[in-house]
Each structure stands twice: as C-alpha cells, then as structure tokens.
Amino acid sequence: MTVILIFISICIAGVIAIPFLSPKLKGIVTLFAIVMNSAISGYFAFLSLTGHEVCLSLQGSYITGDIPVRIDALSGWFILIVNFVFISGGWYGMFYMNAYRYHREKISLHAISFLLLHTSLVTLLSVQNSLVFLIAWEIMMFSAFICVIFDHEKESTLKAGINYLIQSHISVVFLVTGFLWVAFKTGSYDFQSITTFSLSQKGTGALFLFILFFIGFAIKAGFVPFHTWLPYAHPAAPAHISGIMSGILIKCGIYGILRMLLVIKADFTSIGYMILIFSVISGLYGVMLAIIQHDLKKLLAYHSVENIGIIGIGIGIGCIGIGTGNHIIATLGFAGALLHTLNHALFKSLLFYTAGMVYQATHTLNIEHLGGLIKKMPKTAILFTVAAIAISGIPPFNGFISEFIIYTGLYQSLQDASLGSLTVILFTILGLVLIGGLALLCFTKAVGIVFLGNPRKEFDHDIKEGPVAQFIPLYAITVLMLFIGVFPGIFTNLLKEPIALFTGIPAASVSSFHGQIPEALQPVSRAMLAFLAIIAVVYLIRKRAMHKPTVSMDATWECGYGAPTPKLQYTASSFVRAYSKLNKPTLMYSRKEKEVIGIFPKDGHFESHAYDKLEKWLVDKPIFAIRSFMKRFHFLQNGSLQSYILYGVIFIIAVIFIPLLVEKISSFIEFLKHL
Amino acid sequence: MLSFILILLAAFFFTGVINRTKSILSGRKGPGIFQPVKDVLRLFKKGAVYSKTTSFIFQIAPTIYFSSVVMAMLVVPFGQSKGIISFNGDFIFFAYALALGKFFSIIAALDTGSSFEGMGASREALYSMFAEPAFFILLGSLALLTGKTSFHEIFADFHLGSSISYALAVLSAFVLGMITMIENSRMPIDDPKTHLELTMVHEVMILDNSGFDLGLILSAGLLKFSIYGALIVNLFIGIFPYQYTIPMFFAIQILAAVIIGTIESFMARFRMSHNAQFIFALTSVSLLIFFGVLMVLGKFI
C-alpha cells in the first residue's frame, strides 16, 4: 500500500519539480525519478519472476470498486523490459535533447510526459481493474503523443502525432466496448470477472470478446492491417522516443493480447490460427515495405511491424499448443514470443538510438544522401551493424535465439498435426524463412548504404560522433544482446514462471518438458561459443599471415576507370531494384521522371516514392469517400455569424417543438384508433 | 568428427574435378585436379591491396565468411556418426550461420563503393533469400517424415521408411543440388568464368579482395561444395557400415562434381531477370517432397 503511494508520489514530485529546473537538471531529475520507480517496480517484478506473485488490493472509489494490483510473472517480465529501455532511453535522451536546450518550455513538457509515460506504463502493466487500466492506457497514449510531437513546429510531425492519437483512440473504442460488455454483465471491473464471464458464455461469445480485445490491442501493437499509424509516428518522434515507442509501447499491445489470453477462456486452437495468420501477414508485409523505404527511421518502423509479426507467430503456436493440449509446443511458442519481445526491445531501441546519432551528426535521415559514415562515426557504425545482425536473426546475437525457439516450436507442431493445420504451419515456416531473408536484404542495404562506401553528399558541417557518455546505454544494450545470444539459458530460466501461467502447470514441479528449453538451448550456447572461437582463431591466423607481406592501398577497381565519383556508387534504390521489380504487384511506387533526350540534353530528373497499398485502400479511400459525402453539407459552414445564430435558433425551436409535435401526432393517432 | 575429415578431404578435389571435367569436355588438357587448392595456398602467402574507400568491415568480412562456412561444416553429420556439434534444430543453425557470412560478404561488397560490387551484392542478397525457403521446407518435410529435428537423427532415420523414401531422397538430392549451385554461384544461376563484370554475381563481389582474404573466400567456396555434397550423400547412406559408406561418399562427391562440370559445359547461364523465379520454383519442388511425405504418412486421407 505504502509502496504504491511512494511510487505515485515520486512521479508527482518529479512532475511538479521539472518546470522549475534548468534544462540540464530537468533531464537528470527525470532520469532519477525513473530509476527510483524502476527500482521499486523492478523489485516486485523480479520477485514475481522467481515465483512470488505480488498481490495487493488498493481500496478504490465507489465507481471502480477495489483495485487489485497484481504483479504476476507476465507483468513482471514486461515491467523489467520497460524499466531497462526507459533507463537507457532516458540516459540517451538527455544527451539527444542537449541540442534543444534553449527551448526550455518544450523540454519541460517533454520531460514531464516522459516521466508520466513510464509511470502509466508500469501502472497499466500491474493493475487488473479494467477501469483503472483504461485510465492508465489513456495517460500513456496522451503522454506518448506529447513526446512524439516534440518538434511540433513541423507540420509533418504534428500530422503524424494526430494520426497516432486518432488511431489509438479507435483502439480504445474496441477496448471500452469489450470491458464495458463484461462489466455490464457481471457488475465488476476486476479482470477475474472476464474469466467468469467468458466461462459463462461458452464458445462464440468468448471468442467474440477475444476478437474485440484482439483488434483493440492489435492496433496498438501494429499488426497489419492496423499498422498505418506506426510508420508516421516513429520517424516524427525524437530518437529516444522512437526507440521507446518501438521497443515498448507497441509491446503493450502484445501484453494486452497475452493478458486476454490468460483471462479469457475460449477456443484456443481457433484463436491460435487466427493470430498465426495475422502474424505471418504482418511479418511479411512489414519487411516487404521496409525494404523500399528511403527514410532510415521509417524503414525501422516498418521493421517493428515485421517483428510484431514474429512475436505473434510465437503466440499463435503457443495458443495452438494449449488448444491441442501439447505442452511442449505451448511452452516453445510462448517462450519464443516473450523472449523475442525482450530481444526486439533491445535491438530496435539500439537501432533507433544509432539512427538518432546519425541524424544528430548529419541532420538527415534520407538514406540516399548518406554514405561512408563509418570513417567519421566508427562507434555508431559498429553498434548499428551489430543491431542489424541481431534483428536479422543471425547468430551469435539474441535475435537468433528467439527465432530458433519459434522455429523449433513450428517444427515440433508439424509432428502431430492434421492436414489443414499442417498447411498453415508449413506456410508459417515459409513466411518466417522469407522474413529472415528479406530482413537480411533490408539491413545489408541499411548498413551498406548509410555507413559504408563513399559519402554521397557533401555536408557543410563537421560530422562527428556524439559525446562518449551518450554511448554508455548503447554499449549496455549491446552487451546484453550478445549475452542473450551466447548464454540464453539464463533468460529462458526467468521465463519459466510466465510460461507456467499459460500452460497452467506450476513451474515449481519440474516436469519433463519444463527443463526442456534451457536444456535444448545448452548446445546452441556451446555452438555460439564455438562460432566466436572459430572467428577469433581465423582472425588471429590472418593477422599473423598478413604480418609479413606488403599491404598497400589503392583505388577501388572500376574496370580500369580511375576517377569514379561517389555518385557512381550503387544507391539504396538500385540495391533493391531487382526485388521491387519482382514485387511490383504488392508494392506501390509513385515516380516522377524527366528523361534525358537528345545529343545535348538539358536536364533530367528522377524521383520515386514508396507508398503503402493497404493504407491507400483501407485508410485513404474510405476517408476520401466520407469526406466527399460530407462535402455536400459544406454550404452550412459558410462563415457568417448570422446564419450560425439562425442554426441555433432553429435548433432550439426544434428541441422545444418536436416533442410537442410528436405528442400531438401520437394523441391524434390515438384519437383515430378510438374512432 | 568423421564428417569433418571427409568434407575436408572432398574439398581438396571437388572443384578440381569440376574444372577437369569442363576442360576434357571442351577438348583441353586442363589443370590438375588439385590446382584450386594450390591457388589458395599461393594466395595465402601473398600481400594484399586494399581500396582506399574501404573500412575495417572489408577486412574482417572474409574472416567471418570463412568462419561461418567452417561452423556450418561442424554441424553436418555422416551417416551414423554425428557432426561435431549436433542438437535439435541444428539445421536452422546451419542456415543461419551461413547467413552471417553472407551478411558480411554483402556489406563488404558495398564497402568498396563500386557500383559493380553493389550490383553483385544486390543479386546475392536476393538469390539467397529465395533459396532459403526450399531448404527449410525440405528439411521440414524430412523432419515430419522421421519425427526428428536434428541433421544426424533425420538422416539416420530416413532410410528406415519404405522404398518410397528413396524416391523422396532423389527429389531431395535434386533440391539440395540446386541449392548447391545457387550457394556456390554456379550455372545456371551464375557463370564463374564470365569476363564481364556486369554479368557476374559472386565473382564481382570479391573483385577488390586480394591476398590472404581472397584465399579465405576461395577456400570457403571449396568447402561449401563438399558440405552440400556431404548433405546429399547423407540422404542415401543411412545405416550402411562405414566400409561401404566412405567409398560411397567419395564416389557420390566425384559424381556430383562431374555432373556439375558437364552441366556447365553444355549450358548457358539464365537471364539475370529469370533467376529469381527459377530459384523460387525450387520451393515448389520442396513442396512436392512435402506432399510426398504426407502421402507416406497417410495424412492425405
């Protein structure tokens, strides 16, 4: 009880203090408050992961009823991820915001909303009362909105922010409908009442309730086709906010889906297949669009859609496992999903932070304008490359481990499946493999074009690395990534409790399959070590061998042509041209070109923009239709005060007279009937 | 351990046999079958020229590429004897370890800032992406058939099925063979002997490599051939005792090399724009194997 009070009062104290401090102190105080709150919530989260579920009941008001604060293992896992990313993001953000230190009010607002974002996130992960959950959800969304529109002078930023706000509220509509439905039927806002409700409903009712929640949370998580807000909001925000949004905020959607799986008792097999299909489409569509982006942050944002897809595949297999009563598959699926949640939070935040470094140094994120940054920013380049390898799911980093677990789950579930489910699983494997291959294509492009080769554009200013202290959280993330990659057993051990929640078998009773994941990963861990050892040995041999002979430097081979300009380099678009030609039916390109004609050509130009086909059909077209319908009533809004007063008068008259009229008519009908 | 030694031995002559076949079929005398190995050894002793555009990525990439191939080699079993590293799902590790090498060779090509090498890198990334589904579905079908999920167990159990499993083995050998050609940048995907940078895939990516690094890349290429050859061999040897399987191993490897040489002598490379479709069509052959497995298991009815 007192702990919760302390938790909230730290946040409130921070919010009150921040406006009165100097810009530097604002950052420090925000970070300090977040560290304090993380320590408190992290302690309970860790307890819950070791098997001691924390359960407090907060006396609520007349409306909400008692508020249960239950930090079970699932909340614990997510709280730890939130805390880690927030501390690293806050640290990084302090330096990132240094460039804006003269905008005091903006920084105050930003710091306050950053702090509120953390508090509301931890709150919504730990309360199990739907009304309080929704309030925390709203606070989270608004504070995230304010964080995103930090650069609100730019029209595009504001537009992206509002787009995010609107779409998030569409998700709230679904959630409110779901929660109110349950509350209306059972009279309680406690999450446990959802369980009793779903049990009473049997079959379709429970399934429908789950679909309602799934759509609500899927908008937040960014499953295709609900992903359209994501590629706008992430690039518009400052780098640390993009990292946190992509790393954590969209994971709230995942948390919500997982929580609903725990409380709703429905037909898990069909839910599993539904999630699986959504996820494979999200994964493929996300990466397919990511490849053709020119904006580095937008590219990363589409990759979030892809990774949500991978997490979803894990959840889908887990559900199928529960539905068919196969605990090994259930364990593998949920373990893969939960571990990938952590992994994605790590490498995606690292990618966004390094992209932020690039932006700070060059003031552009257009891939086609960059190049050769590795020579001026070696640390950033290495960190970006590491994160790129990890996100492509390549050993020896963490991305491989979670994908490996999901693959194992998929191959396991092939064994005793019927023909229909076999086909679904087979295409899921196909999808996952293609996602991996496409991610490789996309990230070789990102690393190769942005950091390697020659600079494609001359900048007027110096390009240099950020301050050393800014790199500390980035190194911490990298170390953690390698650590998960090489010693995954430690982390999968922590996952025992959360998984036990889903499979319904207590983790304490070590049954045959519980030890399976850590044991199964033992040889993987050894293989990873062997891999690193081989690389080291070959490197040392090479170093020795290269010691003696002469090594010289010269120009790149260009078929004997000695004076190539940087413009001759392969560009990002040309690198993926073969791919985009193949995928023409699914992608959308708008291009403007003026061809070079004649012997003495004057000028020519070429411009191409990628657009989201689903967005066009599902968002733009309907909105356009609504707009053109609404335009018919445009004459009403003519701007003259007199007519507005007239509308008011008409309205008042109508309000008074229509009931009277209705009464008269009904009495007249009565009269007629009597005749 | 046995597989490791055998693959290493096969690597010594595999590429040489291909070259020899090609030279005989075109009426030349040709170099000896150990010439590729001698080339590599000579390169190991040479100095190097690096492009001024490149960074350290370009220098470590060949090391990582070679290591990834060695790592993949450790996973491959031989008949009843396990690979040095063997665990459930090791074929996933096999494919992803090779992907690390590919990742580095692609970004190293982009590091040179040459448009030719960028072109090669782009093609390599695309082709390897399309080749992977075939491999995973093939292994998935075999895993479904045998109920096991590691290379060693899959291959050890594979032959125990009915005679239809040998039919499946032939199809699988075809898929694996085609993947070999793609992975090693051979006909009909890529022509290693072409003289024009514009039409190369793999060769153009390593234009700027020299000395020890080039030696590493070439020896990784030699190893890759025999690794995939060993996988093909594994489809057939099953429980036979070693006195039969070891000669069989070399016989099949040489046969594969001769076939590759023959194909390369009588065939032209596909048009670049048709490659992707061709590679993706392999996936459908894999699917055919999958349905074959379903029939064997009687899941169709």
Side-chain angles (χ1 to χ4, degrees):
Chain A
M1 188 68 203
T2 44
V3 176
I4 296 169
L5 275 182
I6 293 170
F7 180 79
I8 293 171
S9 49
I10 287 175
C11 172
I12 293 173
V15 168
I16 293 171
I18 285 168
F20 303 102
L21 301 169
S22 72
K24 204 169 188 180
L25 270 178
K26 283 185 220 279
I28 293 170
V29 166
T30 314
L31 187 62
F32 182 72
I34 286 176
V35 169
M36 293 276 283
N37 270 348
S38 301
I40 296 172
S41 54
Y43 170 70
F44 290 110
F46 197 74
L47 272 188
S48 68
L49 280 180
T50 48
H52 309 279
E53 194 173 304
V54 183
C55 200
L56 298 166
S57 187
L58 204 64
Q59 203 185 352
S61 63
Y62 168 70
I63 305 167
T64 56
D66 279 352
I67 304 167
V69 178
R70 260 182 246 128
I71 302 185
D72 58 6
L74 180 67
S75 313
W77 180 253
F78 276 87
I79 287 175
L80 285 184
I81 298 175
V82 165
N83 287 343
F84 181 80
V85 178
F86 257 90
I87 292 171
S88 62
W91 184 296
Y92 171 87
M94 265 181 2
F95 294 93
Y96 188 84
M97 282 296 158
N98 201 22
Y100 303 92
R101 58 188 174 279
Y102 301 115
H103 306 270
R104 292 192 58 158
E105 310 78 28
K106 270 169 88 176
I107 293 206
S108 297
L109 195 62
H110 186 76
I112 288 172
S113 46
F114 191 72
L115 185 54
L116 278 176
L117 186 58
H118 179 246
T119 315
S120 57
L121 269 170
V122 174
T123 312
L124 80 87
L125 290 175
S126 42
V127 294
Q128 298 214 353
N129 176 302
S130 49
L131 215 55
V132 183
F133 181 87
L134 282 175
I135 293 168
W137 187 265
E138 278 292 316
I139 297 175
M140 169 196 82
M141 253 160 27
F142 272 105
S143 44
F145 167 68
I146 294 170
C147 284
V148 168
I149 58 161
F150 178 77
D151 240 351
H152 54 76
E153 287 91 355
K154 277 191 206 158
E155 203 198 330
S156 60
T157 307
L158 209 56
K159 236 179 166 174
I162 289 170
N163 187 348
Y164 161 67
L165 201 64
I166 292 172
Q167 298 221 24
S168 305
H169 278 89
I170 297 173
S171 100
V172 172
V173 170
F174 285 99
L175 298 186
V176 168
T177 317
F179 282 132
L180 281 187
W181 185 17
V182 174
F184 188 67
K185 290 274 181 188
T186 60
S188 155
Y189 290 110
D190 196 320
F191 277 5
Q192 278 168 349
S193 63
I194 301 177
T195 313
T196 47
F197 174 73
S198 66
L199 283 176
S200 70
Q201 282 292 311
K202 273 189 196 134
T204 48
L207 197 64
F208 183 67
L209 184 68
F210 180 80
I211 290 173
L212 216 57
F213 282 121
F214 178 76
I215 295 175
F217 287 119
I219 294 174
K220 187 79 207 164
F223 278 101
V224 172
F226 313 112
H227 67 285
T228 48
W229 63 273
L230 225 134
Y232 292 104
H234 289 207
H240 56 290
I241 300 300
S242 331
I244 283 169
M245 283 189 83
S246 185
I248 307 171
L249 277 196
I250 58 172
K251 304 295 163 42
C252 286
I254 296 292
Y255 168 78
I257 292 169
L258 287 172
R259 174 62 68 199
M260 288 306 132
L261 282 175
L262 279 183
V263 294
I264 296 177
K265 301 287 175 238
D267 175 14
F268 281 110
T269 321
S270 33
I271 287 178
Y273 285 120
M274 184 187 81
I275 296 179
L276 213 52
I277 290 166
F278 265 104
S279 308
V280 174
I281 293 172
S282 303
L284 276 175
Y285 195 69
V287 71
M288 273 163 64
L289 277 172
I291 291 176
I292 53 171
Q293 302 303 322
H294 298 311
D295 182 303
L296 186 56
K297 270 186 169 177
K298 210 168 181 179
L299 180 151
L300 296 178
Y302 273 114
H303 265 284
S304 299
V305 178
E306 173 224 315
N307 277 284
I308 286 293
I310 296 176
I311 294 171
I313 291 175
I315 298 176
I317 309 164
C319 289
I320 294 173
I322 298 180
T324 54
N326 188 330
H327 293 296
I328 297 175
I329 297 171
T331 310
L332 286 168
F334 285 115
L338 287 170
L339 193 63
H340 200 75
T341 310
L342 169 66
N343 288 343
H344 180 241
L346 294 177
F347 47 62
K348 190 44 78 63
S349 56
L350 184 55
L351 282 168
F352 269 116
Y353 297 162
T354 40
M357 296 274 194
V358 171
Y359 181 69
Q360 277 192 314
T362 63
H363 306 305
T364 181
L365 281 170
N366 189 340
I367 295 178
E368 306 284 24
H369 291 169
L370 298 167
L373 286 180
I374 195 167
K375 297 201 187 71
K376 292 187 176 127
M377 309 171 70
K379 281 185 278 182
T380 311
I382 294 171
L383 290 171
F384 190 90
T385 313
V386 166
I389 294 170
I391 199 173
S392 310
I394 294 175
F397 293 102
N398 56 353
F400 173 72
I401 299 295
S402 40
E403 286 193 23
F404 179 80
I405 296 175
I406 293 175
Y407 269 121
T408 317
L410 281 169
Y411 280 116
Q412 285 279 352
S413 51
L414 272 180
Q415 298 305 341
D416 42 28
S418 62
L419 187 62
S421 49
L422 265 178
T423 333
V424 175
I425 290 165
L426 191 79
F427 278 99
T428 310
I429 293 177
L430 189 64
L432 200 54
V433 176
L434 275 179
I435 290 171
L438 288 165
L440 185 90
L441 179 67
C442 187
F443 275 98
T444 46
K445 164 190 145 176
V447 174
I449 304 293
V450 174
F451 291 102
L452 306 176
N454 281 316
R456 288 180 173 72
K457 196 182 163 196
E458 293 293 324
F459 291 102
D460 299 332
H461 46 267
D462 260 4
I463 294 174
K464 56 178 193 294
E465 292 270 28
V468 179
Q470 196 174 3
F471 279 97
I472 293 173
L474 276 62
Y475 289 137
I477 296 173
T478 314
V479 169
L480 196 58
M481 270 163 43
L482 187 63
F483 198 71
I484 298 176
V486 180
F487 303 105
I490 299 167
F491 291 85
T492 44
N493 256 336
L494 280 180
L495 278 173
K496 273 184 184 175
E497 284 289 333
I499 293 165
L501 287 177
F502 288 101
T503 53
I505 292 172
S509 66
V510 183
S511 53
S512 56
F513 65 89
H514 257 118
Q516 183 151 357
I517 291 179
E519 267 170 37
L521 288 177
Q522 206 97 60
V524 181
S525 161
R526 258 179 268 140
M528 294 284 202
L529 284 173
F531 201 174
L532 291 176
I534 291 172
I535 293 175
V537 168
V538 177
Y539 183 74
L540 287 178
I541 294 173
R542 175 182 177 273
K543 211 173 171 190
R544 269 196 72 106
M546 295 287 280
H547 198 62
K548 242 196 288 172
T550 48
V551 174
S552 58
M553 305 291 278
D554 214 320
T556 301
W557 171 251
E558 295 280 351
C559 283
Y561 180 59
T565 72
K567 281 189 178 167
L568 280 180
Q569 289 180 93
Y570 234 46
T571 61
S573 327
S574 42
F575 184 71
V576 298
R577 195 179 115 83
Y579 158 81
S580 46
K581 253 178 105 177
L582 279 174
N583 267 329
K584 219 172 194 174
T586 46
L587 303 173
M588 233 180 97
Y589 259 118
S590 63
R591 46 170 70 192
K592 279 186 220 159
E593 59 184 312
K594 190 179 168 198
E595 275 187 43
V596 185
I597 309 166
I599 303 168
F600 299 109
K602 283 216 168 116
D603 57 343
H605 63 86
F606 177 84
E607 215 182 333
S608 70
H609 294 281
Y611 197 65
D612 187 341
K613 214 171 202 173
L614 273 181
E615 188 178 351
K616 189 187 165 192
W617 288 101
L618 294 179
V619 180
D620 294 353
K621 291 247 164 164
I623 285 180
F624 185 75
I626 292 170
R627 256 204 203 148
S628 56
F629 176 71
M630 288 300 183
K631 256 190 193 149
R632 289 164 197 276
F633 305 99
H634 201 65
F635 67 93
L636 290 172
Q637 191 192 12
N638 51 12
S640 87
L641 194 59
Q642 285 92 332
S643 24
Y644 290 166
I645 293 173
L646 183 66
Y647 300 155
V649 172
I650 292 173
F651 177 73
I652 291 168
I653 291 172
V655 165
I656 295 168
F657 279 94
I658 286 175
L660 282 178
L661 207 64
V662 169
E663 205 175 311
K664 286 281 172 226
I665 291 170
S666 59
S667 61
F668 181 66
I669 292 170
E670 287 292 298
F671 173 72
L672 282 181
K673 275 184 185 165
H674 279 292
L675 281 177
Chain B
M1 196 64 204
L2 183 61
S3 61
F4 186 80
I5 297 164
L6 287 175
I7 290 172
L8 212 56
L9 286 176
F12 273 99
F13 62 80
F14 199 102
T15 317
V17 172
I18 297 177
N19 291 344
R20 195 61 198 252
T21 317
K22 280 167 81 174
S23 63
I24 291 171
L25 285 174
S26 60
R28 289 180 285 122
K29 192 169 169 236
I33 56 167
F34 294 114
Q35 192 57 42
V37 181
K38 284 180 194 158
D39 287 346
V40 168
L41 288 177
R42 197 186 64 229
L43 279 170
F44 278 147
K45 283 181 236 148
K46 282 200 159 190
V49 184
Y50 289 108
S51 158
K52 275 177 245 168
T53 313
T54 57
S55 60
F56 66 91
I57 294 275
F58 185 77
Q59 305 216 8
I60 57 164
T63 308
I64 292 177
Y65 178 63
F66 179 77
S67 311
S68 75
V69 173
V70 173
M71 195 61 224
M73 191 163 102
L74 295 184
V75 178
V76 178
F78 179 71
Q80 295 298 307
S81 89
K82 284 182 185 176
I84 292 177
I85 294 172
S86 170
F87 51 89
N88 282 339
D90 53 3
F91 61 89
I92 304 165
F93 183 74
F94 174 86
Y96 275 81
L98 284 176
L100 180 70
K102 240 173 255 163
F103 189 97
F104 269 92
S105 64
I106 290 168
I107 62 172
L110 288 171
D111 198 12
T112 59
S114 147
S115 45
F116 292 126
E117 296 187 36
M119 205 179 288
S122 156
R123 288 169 185 163
E124 172 101 349
L126 193 68
Y127 297 162
S128 62
M129 173 192 92
F130 279 129
E132 229 143 74
F135 179 77
F136 273 84
I137 291 181
L138 171 65
L139 263 299
S141 339
L142 297 186
L144 178 63
L145 182 66
T146 56
K148 302 283 164 52
T149 52
S150 80
F151 260 146
H152 166 244
E153 288 173 324
I154 287 174
F155 289 136
D157 278 16
F158 184 52
H159 69 284
L160 290 175
S162 59
S163 57
I164 206 165
S165 69
Y166 281 96
L168 288 176
V170 172
L171 265 183
S172 312
F174 172 73
V175 173
L176 277 177
M178 287 322 295
I179 293 174
T180 315
M181 307 299 259
I182 298 161
E183 288 285 328
N184 290 292
S185 319
R186 288 280 169 165
M187 283 308 187
I189 307 303
D190 186 12
D191 185 358
K193 287 280 172 275
T194 179
H195 299 288
L196 184 60
E197 283 90 340
L198 277 173
T199 58
M200 298 176 180
V201 178
H202 181 69
E203 303 301 311
V204 77
M205 288 173 69
I206 55 171
L207 272 183
D208 266 279
N209 286 94
S210 53
F212 195 86
D213 287 346
L214 186 59
L216 280 179
I217 294 172
L218 291 185
S219 46
L222 301 181
L223 284 174
K224 253 185 175 180
F225 258 129
S226 56
I227 288 173
Y228 280 98
L231 285 183
I232 295 174
V233 172
N234 267 312
L235 287 171
F236 297 99
I237 52 178
I239 41 159
F240 296 123
Y242 289 131
Q243 62 262 37
Y244 299 118
T245 54
I246 291 173
M248 252 172 97
F249 175 85
F250 288 111
I252 294 180
Q253 291 270 21
I254 290 172
L255 184 69
V258 171
I259 291 173
I260 293 172
T262 319
I263 291 173
E264 291 203 345
S265 305
F266 294 104
M267 212 178 147
R269 186 175 58 75
F270 282 160
R271 269 177 65 189
M272 217 46 113
S273 54
H274 290 180
N275 270 347
Q277 283 100 319
F278 170 74
I279 297 168
F280 206 57
L282 264 190
T283 309
S284 54
V285 182
S286 284
L287 281 176
L288 208 64
I289 296 171
F290 181 73
F291 289 121
V293 169
L294 287 188
M295 280 215 296
V296 173
L297 294 177
K299 292 221 180 193
F300 252 135
I301 310 144

